[in-house]
Amino acid sequence: MKITRRGALSLTSGTAVAGLASSPILAGRHGTPGGGDPLHSPGTATMIDGRANGRFAGVPVGGIGCGTVYCSADGRLWVWDIFNAHHEGVVPADDPHPSLTSPHGGRLRERDGANYARPPQVGSGPWPVVCGTELELFDPTAMTAAALERRGVSAAGFGEVRMRAQPPGAQVDFADPDCPVAVRLDAWTPYIPGDIESSSLPALVMEYRLTNRSARPIVAQMRMRLENRVLRGVGERNDAPIVNEVFALAGGAGVHMFADTARQPFADLPDLRSRPDYGSMALVALGPDSAAYPQGFPLQSPDHVLRFDSHPWAPPIGTAQSRVLLAPGGEATLRFVIAWHFANLQLQAKTWDNDHPFALSRTRRHYAARFADARAVAETLATDIDTSARKTRSFHETWYDSTLPHWLLEQVMSATTALQTNTFLRFENGRFWAWEGVGCCPGTCTHVWQYAQSPARLFPEVERRQREEVDFGLAQNPDGSIGMRAEYDRNWAADGQAGCILRAHREHLNAPASAFLERIWPRVAAAMDFMIARDGEGAMPDGIITGRQHNTLDADWHGRVPFLASLYAAALHSAAAMALTLGDSGRAARYGALAAMSSERFGELFDDELGHYVQRNAPGDPAAIGQGRGCHVDQSIGQWWAWQLGLGRIFDARQQRTALHRTFELNHYRDVAPLWDGAYEPSRQPLAFALPGEAGTVTCAWAKGVARTDDARHWMAGYFNSCMTGFEFQLAGHMLWESDADPALLDKGLIVARAVFDRYAPDRRNPFNMIEASDHYARAMAAHGMFLALCGFEHDGPRGHIAVRPRLVGEDGTFRAAFTAATGWGGYEQSPMPDGGLRLRYNVRHGTLEATTIGAREPAGRRFAGARLANGTVLRIDRKGQDVTIHLPQRMTVAEGGRLEILLS
């Protein structure tokens, strides 16, 4: 399929792609996608060779907020960070890097990029768990004889091993010319957007599809082993017997693994039940011919032991197996479930302003309120596993059945896997809580998490509860300010405060009705009024805050700061829109007038000579670090937010686009080596989030190629010289939103994003772990904003409005992508009709779609006369340029499995 970018630059001309031929982009991770265009074409899935270049790959495959378990590129499970051990990094970087050090001196820490510079390899980590799967093949006419062959389902057992890099979940193919049976592993956990309860089980499924490639029948048996690591996850002393006990369940057999604390022999030891690694595990084989054994391989006696008690220093290894008869050319699927239940969270951190330990009132995991132990988890999942598999597979297929570039779809989902790691937690009372990255910087930090877009679009309940219970609940101070880290730090951050207001608006749009906004509106208004009071300190508000403004670069800035001023302006526009929605006319008028003033004043920060926005300080402002006359990657982030909230343009279009082009010119490096070799500021090395030989976009740059002259006085210079994925994705997404009238920005946005994708190539590091201040960093979920921009997605759940106005389509108008709405999700597609019209289809795969108006974009050069439903009902349309809004005769509800089809002609 040919791709049109409505006049975008070619890959060989123009400043937008200068030097692209020497970039790793052309080599890519796909080989050569369809059409030979690795930047824009759909391409195909990234494939990782599990034998040659899969040593770093690890896809999180456990439930949301349930700990971290990786599946490797050859189908092995590793990391096993489920025992509540406190640490930074998905795997702590205990050994110092041989050449790199922290910008603060000493060893390179996880928060400085230790696991980026030297990525953990498969099997590493301080929580080893013996786990593996074997394939045995038998002659069905001689089942009592020894197996024809036995091989491990891993790179050691098969000559060809390839992983499809498409999270959520992992798919690995195993084949060998000497083995008559090929194996496909699907490692997954229930992952159903819109259903957070089903998607947050402490469990995973290892699903093996076996194909008999021979001309004779074969009995295939899969056997999985799992070690009981209860009370041995954090390496502390334990004297209670470790027990494996076989149990039966409908359609299978399992081993329940626990510790018999009632038989703890030494009374002077602390209560083992309070330990973070106290709990249970379970291994289940599903299928009509399944069995389980408490220790080792199956015993020869038919009356095998159902319980095995072990010394605590020699934990037993349980076994579960399932077998099937494969006809010549036949296929069958065997499933195993692994579950865990370690509810005692151990959250260790220091408060921001003193050294006393940080503690929360509830520190047990959410699954403790739902399940008594791991056996109950496994039984619950097994009971309706077919439904879970169907819905999980449906979302996976819907997401990747798209005309958008596969690499970008993978990138968005790779960032989202942070929810399936210990970056993201959920407490027993249902509250959500998060670090910035694994084990680093606690409190669901407002100024970091305001970048993350994925949770709100995939699991909107998560963000609604966070707004209502935390940001506008326990974290809000009496004066309306919001503690940037809730209990951990009650000080406000300028960007985080504005971000909470903007996210309240987003959560309203992703809700089915206005009840959520009605409940929290007084507190949102208080937060907005607090910011306005800071704007008006000593005078009347004028649209820009100039006093102390703490922000995500971990310092207090002063003066008129572009990225903070843009967020404040966006928050005012957003608050005005929310007030109008609720009929609060007084606040709507007040916020609206100040929003208009704020947008105008923001334009005063644009420097025509430099071509971007600059910080302007008044005489007497504290000499705190700031961008000064530098070009900051987030300088107009407020407009990025405005596009996502349907607020339209709030800042001058010419200035915005000029600044975006200038940011690409100054901040984007095809090779970041100069930042490391001392050419810019030798005493301020970047953080290790991009290394020499790699492309990236830095946080702040200066037109003359050097940092501000007083930069050496400020520790923050290392931030300015660093490439941080969340910032890069915000910039890329903003470029994509602005590309309608300036198609060159589409290319530049994709180049910025693709540079990140190539930095995380599987032969370099783990493609599924985006690193900033520690691993699986939350800000990287700004990547979802790029997907929304390419789709031109709009949604207002309470109003019943949904729109897709794509920016990257086939020449004939063909476009496909997933959509997620307030009450359901599915696939959107548009395709040309023989009469020259355009067919729009919303296929609902889960939940429902509530719609009153539908938005679309006419192809270039086309102007449709009208619209109708598939049944012929004529619909009214409004037009604004190429964009049309179609009015349905009444609010329609499209049920799961149904379709809404509209014809434009």
Side-chain angles (χ1 to χ4, degrees), residues 449-485:
W449 276 84
Q450 66 112 347
Y451 288 80
Q453 302 299 321
S454 301
R457 301 295 177 173
L458 299 176
F459 300 97
E461 178 189 341
V462 170
E463 294 285 10
R464 282 200 297 270
R465 291 194 65 165
Q466 183 69 16
R467 301 292 83 71
E468 187 163 8
E469 296 176 0
V470 181
D471 296 334
F472 297 106
L474 61 92
Q476 192 164 28
N477 298 309
D479 62 0
S481 64
I482 297 170
M484 71 179 87
R485 299 179 187 274

Short mmCIF file of all heavy atoms in Angstrom, two decimals, residues 449-485:
data_model
loop_
_atom_site.label_atom_id
_atom_site.label_comp_id
_atom_site.label_asym_id
_atom_site.label_seq_id
_atom_site.Cartn_x
_atom_site.Cartn_y
_atom_site.Cartn_z
N TRP A 449 3.71 11.49 36.09
CA TRP A 449 2.57 10.72 35.60
C TRP A 449 1.63 11.54 34.73
O TRP A 449 0.81 10.98 34.01
CB TRP A 449 1.82 10.08 36.77
CG TRP A 449 2.47 8.78 37.17
CD1 TRP A 449 3.53 8.62 38.00
CD2 TRP A 449 2.13 7.48 36.70
NE1 TRP A 449 3.87 7.29 38.09
CE2 TRP A 449 3.02 6.56 37.31
CE3 TRP A 449 1.15 6.98 35.84
CZ2 TRP A 449 2.96 5.19 37.07
CZ3 TRP A 449 1.08 5.62 35.61
CH2 TRP A 449 1.98 4.74 36.21
N GLN A 450 1.73 12.89 34.75
CA GLN A 450 0.86 13.68 33.88
C GLN A 450 1.22 13.49 32.41
O GLN A 450 0.44 13.81 31.53
CB GLN A 450 0.91 15.16 34.25
CG GLN A 450 2.25 15.85 34.04
CD GLN A 450 2.22 16.89 32.93
OE1 GLN A 450 1.28 16.96 32.16
NE2 GLN A 450 3.27 17.68 32.86
N TYR A 451 2.40 12.94 32.12
CA TYR A 451 2.77 12.64 30.74
C TYR A 451 2.11 11.33 30.25
O TYR A 451 1.86 11.16 29.07
CB TYR A 451 4.28 12.48 30.60
CG TYR A 451 5.07 13.76 30.69
CD1 TYR A 451 5.37 14.34 31.92
CD2 TYR A 451 5.54 14.40 29.55
CE1 TYR A 451 6.11 15.50 32.01
CE2 TYR A 451 6.29 15.56 29.63
CZ TYR A 451 6.56 16.11 30.85
OH TYR A 451 7.30 17.28 30.94
N ALA A 452 1.89 10.41 31.17
CA ALA A 452 1.43 9.07 30.80
C ALA A 452 -0.01 9.10 30.29
O ALA A 452 -0.91 9.55 30.99
CB ALA A 452 1.55 8.13 31.99
N GLN A 453 -0.21 8.61 29.08
CA GLN A 453 -1.54 8.63 28.47
C GLN A 453 -2.18 7.23 28.38
O GLN A 453 -3.39 7.11 28.25
CB GLN A 453 -1.46 9.23 27.06
CG GLN A 453 -0.91 10.65 27.04
CD GLN A 453 -1.75 11.62 27.82
OE1 GLN A 453 -2.98 11.57 27.82
NE2 GLN A 453 -1.10 12.55 28.52
N SER A 454 -1.38 6.19 28.45
CA SER A 454 -1.91 4.84 28.22
C SER A 454 -2.95 4.40 29.24
O SER A 454 -4.01 3.88 28.86
CB SER A 454 -0.77 3.82 28.18
OG SER A 454 0.15 4.13 27.16
N PRO A 455 -2.71 4.55 30.56
CA PRO A 455 -3.70 4.05 31.52
C PRO A 455 -5.08 4.65 31.31
O PRO A 455 -6.10 3.94 31.38
CB PRO A 455 -3.12 4.43 32.88
CG PRO A 455 -1.66 4.60 32.64
CD PRO A 455 -1.54 5.12 31.25
N ALA A 456 -5.15 5.95 31.03
CA ALA A 456 -6.45 6.61 30.88
C ALA A 456 -7.19 6.11 29.66
O ALA A 456 -8.43 6.09 29.64
CB ALA A 456 -6.26 8.12 30.77
N ARG A 457 -6.48 5.72 28.62
CA ARG A 457 -7.12 5.26 27.39
C ARG A 457 -7.45 3.78 27.42
O ARG A 457 -8.42 3.35 26.78
CB ARG A 457 -6.21 5.56 26.19
CG ARG A 457 -5.88 7.04 26.03
CD ARG A 457 -7.12 7.86 25.69
NE ARG A 457 -6.83 9.29 25.61
CZ ARG A 457 -7.71 10.20 25.20
NH1 ARG A 457 -8.93 9.84 24.86
NH2 ARG A 457 -7.38 11.48 25.16
N LEU A 458 -6.68 3.00 28.16
CA LEU A 458 -6.91 1.55 28.18
C LEU A 458 -7.69 1.11 29.42
O LEU A 458 -8.54 0.22 29.33
CB LEU A 458 -5.56 0.82 28.14
CG LEU A 458 -4.71 1.08 26.90
CD1 LEU A 458 -3.37 0.37 27.02
CD2 LEU A 458 -5.42 0.63 25.63
N PHE A 459 -7.38 1.71 30.56
CA PHE A 459 -8.04 1.35 31.82
C PHE A 459 -8.47 2.63 32.52
O PHE A 459 -7.86 3.04 33.53
CB PHE A 459 -7.10 0.52 32.69
CG PHE A 459 -6.66 -0.76 32.05
CD1 PHE A 459 -5.45 -0.85 31.37
CD2 PHE A 459 -7.48 -1.88 32.07
CE1 PHE A 459 -5.05 -2.01 30.76
CE2 PHE A 459 -7.09 -3.07 31.46
CZ PHE A 459 -5.87 -3.14 30.79
N PRO A 460 -9.48 3.32 32.01
CA PRO A 460 -9.84 4.64 32.53
C PRO A 460 -10.18 4.66 34.01
O PRO A 460 -10.02 5.69 34.67
CB PRO A 460 -11.02 5.07 31.66
CG PRO A 460 -11.51 3.83 30.98
CD PRO A 460 -10.32 2.92 30.86
N GLU A 461 -10.65 3.55 34.55
CA GLU A 461 -10.96 3.51 35.98
C GLU A 461 -9.73 3.81 36.83
O GLU A 461 -9.83 4.43 37.89
CB GLU A 461 -11.52 2.13 36.37
CG GLU A 461 -11.83 2.01 37.86
CD GLU A 461 -12.18 0.60 38.28
OE1 GLU A 461 -12.55 -0.22 37.41
OE2 GLU A 461 -12.09 0.32 39.49
N VAL A 462 -8.56 3.36 36.36
CA VAL A 462 -7.32 3.60 37.10
C VAL A 462 -7.12 5.10 37.32
O VAL A 462 -6.86 5.56 38.44
CB VAL A 462 -6.12 3.00 36.33
CG1 VAL A 462 -4.81 3.45 36.96
CG2 VAL A 462 -6.21 1.49 36.30
N GLU A 463 -7.23 5.88 36.25
CA GLU A 463 -6.98 7.31 36.37
C GLU A 463 -8.13 8.05 37.05
O GLU A 463 -7.91 9.03 37.77
CB GLU A 463 -6.70 7.90 34.99
CG GLU A 463 -5.41 7.39 34.35
CD GLU A 463 -4.16 8.01 34.96
OE1 GLU A 463 -4.27 8.69 36.00
OE2 GLU A 463 -3.07 7.82 34.40
N ARG A 464 -9.36 7.61 36.85
CA ARG A 464 -10.47 8.27 37.55
C ARG A 464 -10.31 8.12 39.06
O ARG A 464 -10.51 9.08 39.82
CB ARG A 464 -11.82 7.69 37.09
CG ARG A 464 -12.29 8.20 35.74
CD ARG A 464 -13.77 8.00 35.55
NE ARG A 464 -14.17 6.61 35.55
CZ ARG A 464 -14.23 5.85 34.46
NH1 ARG A 464 -13.92 6.36 33.28
NH2 ARG A 464 -14.62 4.60 34.52
N ARG A 465 -9.96 6.92 39.50
CA ARG A 465 -9.78 6.71 40.93
C ARG A 465 -8.59 7.52 41.45
O ARG A 465 -8.63 8.04 42.56
CB ARG A 465 -9.58 5.23 41.24
CG ARG A 465 -10.82 4.40 41.02
CD ARG A 465 -10.70 3.03 41.64
NE ARG A 465 -10.59 3.08 43.09
CZ ARG A 465 -10.74 2.03 43.89
NH1 ARG A 465 -11.05 0.86 43.36
NH2 ARG A 465 -10.62 2.15 45.19
N GLN A 466 -7.53 7.62 40.66
CA GLN A 466 -6.36 8.39 41.09
C GLN A 466 -6.71 9.87 41.25
O GLN A 466 -6.29 10.52 42.20
CB GLN A 466 -5.22 8.23 40.08
CG GLN A 466 -3.94 8.92 40.46
CD GLN A 466 -3.25 8.30 41.65
OE1 GLN A 466 -3.56 7.18 42.04
NE2 GLN A 466 -2.33 9.03 42.27
N ARG A 467 -7.51 10.40 40.33
CA ARG A 467 -7.92 11.80 40.47
C ARG A 467 -8.79 11.99 41.70
O ARG A 467 -8.59 12.91 42.49
CB ARG A 467 -8.70 12.26 39.23
CG ARG A 467 -8.04 12.20 37.88
CD ARG A 467 -6.92 13.16 37.70
NE ARG A 467 -5.69 12.62 38.25
CZ ARG A 467 -5.00 11.60 37.71
NH1 ARG A 467 -5.41 11.02 36.60
NH2 ARG A 467 -3.90 11.18 38.25
N GLU A 468 -9.79 11.13 41.85
CA GLU A 468 -10.79 11.34 42.90
C GLU A 468 -10.27 11.01 44.29
O GLU A 468 -10.52 11.74 45.25
CB GLU A 468 -12.04 10.53 42.59
CG GLU A 468 -13.21 10.82 43.52
CD GLU A 468 -14.53 10.33 42.98
OE1 GLU A 468 -14.55 9.62 41.94
OE2 GLU A 468 -15.57 10.67 43.58
N GLU A 469 -9.53 9.90 44.41
CA GLU A 469 -9.10 9.43 45.72
C GLU A 469 -7.80 10.08 46.19
O GLU A 469 -7.59 10.25 47.40
CB GLU A 469 -8.92 7.92 45.71
CG GLU A 469 -10.19 7.14 45.46
CD GLU A 469 -9.96 5.65 45.35
OE1 GLU A 469 -8.80 5.22 45.47
OE2 GLU A 469 -10.93 4.91 45.13
N VAL A 470 -6.94 10.43 45.23
CA VAL A 470 -5.61 10.89 45.61
C VAL A 470 -5.41 12.37 45.27
O VAL A 470 -5.41 13.22 46.16
CB VAL A 470 -4.51 10.02 44.95
CG1 VAL A 470 -3.12 10.50 45.38
CG2 VAL A 470 -4.71 8.57 45.31
N ASP A 471 -5.29 12.70 43.99
CA ASP A 471 -4.93 14.07 43.62
C ASP A 471 -5.93 15.10 44.15
O ASP A 471 -5.54 16.13 44.70
CB ASP A 471 -4.81 14.19 42.10
CG ASP A 471 -3.68 13.35 41.54
OD1 ASP A 471 -2.73 13.07 42.28
OD2 ASP A 471 -3.75 12.94 40.37
N PHE A 472 -7.22 14.82 43.95
CA PHE A 472 -8.24 15.73 44.46
C PHE A 472 -8.89 15.15 45.71
O PHE A 472 -10.01 15.47 46.06
CB PHE A 472 -9.29 16.00 43.38
CG PHE A 472 -8.72 16.71 42.18
CD1 PHE A 472 -8.51 16.03 41.00
CD2 PHE A 472 -8.36 18.05 42.26
CE1 PHE A 472 -7.96 16.68 39.89
CE2 PHE A 472 -7.81 18.70 41.16
CZ PHE A 472 -7.61 18.01 39.98
N GLY A 473 -8.14 14.28 46.38
CA GLY A 473 -8.58 13.68 47.62
C GLY A 473 -7.52 13.87 48.69
O GLY A 473 -7.26 14.99 49.13
N LEU A 474 -6.85 12.80 49.06
CA LEU A 474 -5.93 12.86 50.19
C LEU A 474 -4.70 13.72 49.93
O LEU A 474 -4.05 14.19 50.86
CB LEU A 474 -5.51 11.45 50.60
CG LEU A 474 -4.78 10.59 49.55
CD1 LEU A 474 -3.27 10.75 49.65
CD2 LEU A 474 -5.15 9.11 49.74
N ALA A 475 -4.35 13.98 48.64
CA ALA A 475 -3.16 14.78 48.35
C ALA A 475 -3.44 16.28 48.29
O ALA A 475 -2.51 17.08 48.28
CB ALA A 475 -2.54 14.34 47.02
N GLN A 476 -4.71 16.66 48.25
CA GLN A 476 -5.02 18.09 48.09
C GLN A 476 -4.99 18.80 49.44
O GLN A 476 -5.62 18.37 50.40
CB GLN A 476 -6.37 18.29 47.41
CG GLN A 476 -6.61 19.73 46.97
CD GLN A 476 -7.74 19.86 45.98
OE1 GLN A 476 -8.67 19.05 45.96
NE2 GLN A 476 -7.67 20.88 45.13
N ASN A 477 -4.24 19.87 49.48
CA ASN A 477 -4.11 20.67 50.69
C ASN A 477 -5.28 21.65 50.82
O ASN A 477 -5.98 21.94 49.84
CB ASN A 477 -2.79 21.43 50.65
CG ASN A 477 -1.59 20.50 50.62
OD1 ASN A 477 -1.48 19.60 51.43
ND2 ASN A 477 -0.69 20.72 49.66
N PRO A 478 -5.52 22.18 52.01
CA PRO A 478 -6.67 23.10 52.22
C PRO A 478 -6.66 24.31 51.30
O PRO A 478 -7.73 24.84 50.97
CB PRO A 478 -6.52 23.50 53.69
CG PRO A 478 -5.80 22.36 54.33
CD PRO A 478 -4.85 21.86 53.29
N ASP A 479 -5.48 24.76 50.85
CA ASP A 479 -5.43 25.94 49.99
C ASP A 479 -5.67 25.61 48.51
O ASP A 479 -5.62 26.49 47.66
CB ASP A 479 -4.09 26.67 50.14
CG ASP A 479 -2.89 25.81 49.74
OD1 ASP A 479 -3.08 24.65 49.34
OD2 ASP A 479 -1.74 26.32 49.84
N GLY A 480 -5.93 24.32 48.21
CA GLY A 480 -6.19 23.91 46.84
C GLY A 480 -4.99 23.33 46.13
O GLY A 480 -5.13 22.72 45.06
N SER A 481 -3.80 23.52 46.69
CA SER A 481 -2.61 22.93 46.07
C SER A 481 -2.65 21.41 46.22
O SER A 481 -3.32 20.87 47.11
CB SER A 481 -1.34 23.49 46.70
OG SER A 481 -1.25 23.12 48.07
N ILE A 482 -1.91 20.73 45.36
CA ILE A 482 -1.91 19.27 45.33
C ILE A 482 -0.49 18.78 45.62
O ILE A 482 0.46 19.16 44.92
CB ILE A 482 -2.38 18.74 43.97
CG1 ILE A 482 -3.83 19.17 43.73
CG2 ILE A 482 -2.25 17.22 43.88
CD1 ILE A 482 -4.32 18.91 42.32
N GLY A 483 -0.35 17.97 46.65
CA GLY A 483 0.95 17.41 46.97
C GLY A 483 1.46 16.57 45.81
O GLY A 483 0.78 15.66 45.36
N MET A 484 2.66 16.89 45.37
CA MET A 484 3.14 16.26 44.13
C MET A 484 3.37 14.76 44.29
O MET A 484 3.40 14.04 43.30
CB MET A 484 4.44 16.94 43.68
CG MET A 484 5.65 16.66 44.53
SD MET A 484 7.14 17.48 43.92
CE MET A 484 6.98 19.06 44.75
N ARG A 485 3.53 14.30 45.54
CA ARG A 485 3.72 12.87 45.77
C ARG A 485 2.80 12.36 46.89
O ARG A 485 3.15 11.45 47.63
CB ARG A 485 5.18 12.58 46.12
CG ARG A 485 6.17 12.97 45.02
CD ARG A 485 7.61 12.68 45.42
NE ARG A 485 8.55 13.20 44.45
CZ ARG A 485 8.95 12.56 43.37
NH1 ARG A 485 8.49 11.34 43.13
NH2 ARG A 485 9.81 13.10 42.52
#
